[in-house]
Amino acid sequence: MEPDRLKKLRDLFVVFFKASSFTFAGGLAILPLLEKDLIDDRHYMDRDEFLEYVALCQTLPGVITINCASFVGARIAGAAGAFVAAFAAVLPAYTIMLIATILLKLLPQSPVIVGVFAGVRAASAALIMASVFSLGKKQIKMVFAMVVSAAVFAAVLFFDIDALPLVLAAGLAGVIYEALKRKKA
Amino acid sequence: MMDLLWLFLSFAKISIIGFGGGYGIMSIMLTEVAKFSVTAAQFGDLIALELIVPGPIAINAATYVGFLAQGIPGSVIATLGISLPCLTLSYIVYRFIDRFRSNALLQSFLSGVKPAAVGLIAAAAIIVGRDVIGGLQIRGVAASAAIMLLVLVGSAKFKVNPILLTVLSGVAGAFFVR
């Protein structure tokens, strides 16, 4: 492998490893760190290209950070780049989480601790719901979107339907709806 | 061995239908992980842990659930399961990026999927909340409900730092939720 390519791979690893280690609560927070390192400091790509990848990686399913690492890594150093960047992003998250989980399991179960956890879990439920409000504001601007969300919500809660068929059905509904809209126009 | 295979497939499935970022993935994970004896209450612990652990939410979640299900090998398999499909898919999309951008069919498919993700996340919130309340006495239920309401308003309306909210809730829980 040419030295230039090797350097790029090494840089990709370092950039994504560092960025992932300092990003808390949500994949999107990693973006400014990547922007600074890859574009401003090392000039590995244009800002326009980067922004396009950012939009794209949120549209695809799966882990947004990995999608992003894949695009950026591929752009800079081909398939190897995609793999290295993704691996570097996952490594710190995996390691620290594993340690935290093991420590959590070792915690004793006194009434105070049980109370703390009950409080924390209540907060967690509320935080998930809070994210619905900010996401909803962005994604749900039309009646169609509202109907789809409400239908999926009800299907999961009251009819215990699995996510996979719901997502596919929603996608299909989107296709049909857009096609109908176009026919009318 | 079969258990690990199921774990991998389960997370691969989540990776492929997981729209809506971290919380979107987690909402789908909630129903999947019941198969591995992970309760909604443990899921609540996961959300709290994620606030203090760095990295992508989905990776943290896979590591956590994988470990609870099958120990360290489980954590590796689950993390691989959730990473490999989207890595592959993204790379393929990158190679065909021009065709992907202008594909109307794909865009209309996504226009249905994105609001669906919002619905899934809302349902997940209810499920976790319900499970938390389920195991408590009356006094605990009232305290939990109060915590939930305060945190919801605090986060959604006033954008209070979620870590702060979680810590305060833990303290409140120690005193009021017994």
Side-chain angles (χ1 to χ4, degrees):
Chain A
M1 209 181 281
E2 332 91 61
D4 189 44
R5 188 99 180 282
L6 212 49
K7 177 181 192 303
K8 285 184 181 166
L9 289 179
R10 206 189 54 221
D11 284 344
L12 275 173
F13 184 87
V14 169
V15 168
F16 274 91
F17 187 88
K18 260 180 24 190
S20 184
S21 309
F22 290 104
T23 305
F24 291 84
L28 296 178
I30 205 178
L31 297 174
L33 294 166
L34 292 178
E35 209 181 329
K36 176 170 192 310
D37 250 316
L38 293 170
I39 301 176
D40 299 330
D41 295 345
R42 294 173 213 245
H43 306 291
Y44 272 143
M45 63 167 74
D46 309 317
R47 200 172 310 267
D48 292 331
E49 256 182 311
F50 183 70
L51 289 175
E52 184 189 15
Y53 295 153
V54 166
L56 211 47
C57 72
Q58 289 176 72
T59 305
L60 292 175
V63 188
I64 291 184
T65 304
I66 293 189
N67 291 338
C68 182
S70 190
F71 283 126
V72 170
R75 166 68 178 74
I76 294 178
F83 183 81
V84 167
F87 179 71
V90 169
L91 201 53
Y94 171 78
T95 322
I96 297 184
M97 190 57 173
L98 188 61
I99 296 173
T101 306
I102 294 177
L103 289 178
L104 192 69
K105 273 218 133 182
L106 298 175
L107 224 47
Q109 290 288 311
S110 72
V112 172
I113 301 258
V114 170
V116 167
F117 273 92
V120 163
R121 287 165 181 171
S124 300
L127 287 175
I128 303 177
M129 196 44 111
S131 79
V132 169
F133 285 100
S134 57
L135 264 181
K137 258 194 289 192
K138 256 179 28 183
Q139 302 284 12
I140 306 195
K141 301 197 173 129
M142 301 168 308
V143 181
F144 172 71
M146 277 190 251
V147 170
V148 170
S149 297
V152 167
F153 175 76
V156 171
L157 269 192
F158 303 123
F159 299 103
D160 227 351
I161 303 185
D162 190 51
L164 177 57
L166 285 175
V167 170
L168 292 175
L172 189 58
V175 170
I176 297 177
Y177 181 71
E178 292 292 321
L180 288 176
K181 261 186 14 188
R182 238 170 288 146
K183 282 249 176 83
K184 263 204 193 164
Chain B
M1 190 35 104
M2 275 307 285
D3 292 329
L4 287 179
L5 183 60
W6 280 122
L7 195 56
F8 181 84
L9 289 176
S10 199
F11 276 88
K13 172 180 161 190
I14 295 172
S15 184
I16 298 187
I17 60 173
F19 292 88
Y23 278 131
I25 288 193
M26 297 246 287
S27 61
I28 299 176
M29 234 188 246
L30 184 54
T31 38
E32 281 293 314
V33 303
K35 301 177 191 168
F36 303 107
S37 315
V38 177
T39 66
Q42 286 176 308
F43 221 71
D45 296 338
L46 169 60
I47 310 249
L49 265 187
E50 279 178 346
L51 294 174
I52 54 176
V53 172
I57 288 184
I59 301 294
N60 293 335
T63 307
Y64 176 85
V65 172
F67 180 78
L68 286 182
Q70 298 278 341
I72 293 189
S75 68
V76 174
I77 296 288
T79 304
L80 285 175
I82 207 163
S83 312
L84 293 178
C86 57
L87 174 59
T88 319
L89 184 63
S90 294
Y91 182 69
I92 294 174
V93 168
Y94 173 80
R95 296 300 295 262
F96 291 100
I97 206 169
D98 292 312
R99 287 188 231 169
F100 186 82
R101 270 186 215 123
S102 51
N103 192 322
L105 185 64
L106 209 43
Q107 298 305 328
S108 54
F109 181 81
L110 290 172
S111 76
V113 163
K114 289 185 204 171
V118 177
L120 286 174
I121 299 174
I126 302 285
I127 292 175
V128 173
R130 219 165 42 182
D131 196 84
V132 170
I133 291 201
L136 303 169
Q137 316 276 19
I138 299 289
R139 181 171 163 219
V141 169
S144 288
I147 291 176
M148 281 188 220
L149 197 55
L150 289 171
V151 171
L152 181 57
V153 171
S155 181
K157 191 115 207 254
F158 299 106
K159 307 283 181 226
V160 179
N161 187 318
I163 299 180
L164 179 61
L165 288 172
T166 305
V167 169
L168 290 175
S169 303
V171 172
F175 284 110
F176 298 115
V177 184
R178 302 283 193 110

